[in-house]
Amino acid sequence: MIKHLVFWRVRDDEDKQKNMEKMRELLTSLVGVVPGLVSAEVGFNYNPKGFDIALYSVFESKEALDGYQVHPAHLEVKKFVHSVIIDRACADYEI
């Protein structure tokens, strides 16, 4: 199993909360669409010193994570995400 963690800072404007909600909806909708994506959980950070939003996802294998990165559905979600964020951090590890 592969754990895929991503953290984002969302552009601070009048649409920030709406954009965060849309990110959560889009990211979690990929479960059942992208082969090998077991689960995806998105949370909003209440700590003002951290990133705004976190994705915790689980993949069956490294190959499944590689497939996710180029899957058309993920690429569509990525377009929106990159249009509203200002920073990103990521970590992947195997258990």
Side-chain angles (χ1 to χ4, degrees), residues 65-85:
L65 177 57
D66 291 343
Y68 167 80
Q69 296 299 345
V70 297
H71 192 281
H74 175 251
L75 294 176
E76 282 300 310
V77 170
K78 192 174 176 178
K79 283 182 194 177
F80 173 76
V81 169
H82 282 264
S83 76
V84 300
I85 65 162

Side-chain angles (χ1 to χ4, degrees), residues 4-56:
H4 175 63
L5 309 172
V6 186
F7 303 92
W8 295 278
R9 282 192 182 88
V10 178
R11 188 174 54 248
D12 196 12
D13 61 20
E14 67 277 357
D15 294 324
K16 182 175 183 175
Q17 189 63 38
K18 182 178 97 178
N19 289 334
M20 290 172 57
E21 296 282 347
K22 185 170 181 180
M23 284 176 66
R24 176 168 42 200
E25 177 186 326
L26 292 172
L27 290 161
T28 57
S29 75
L30 295 172
V31 177
V33 173
V34 177
L37 174 57
V38 176
S39 65
E41 177 181 293
V42 175
F44 301 155
N45 186 13
Y46 60 83
N47 180 340
K49 295 182 181 180
F51 285 83
D52 297 310
I53 193 168
L55 167 67
Y56 172 82

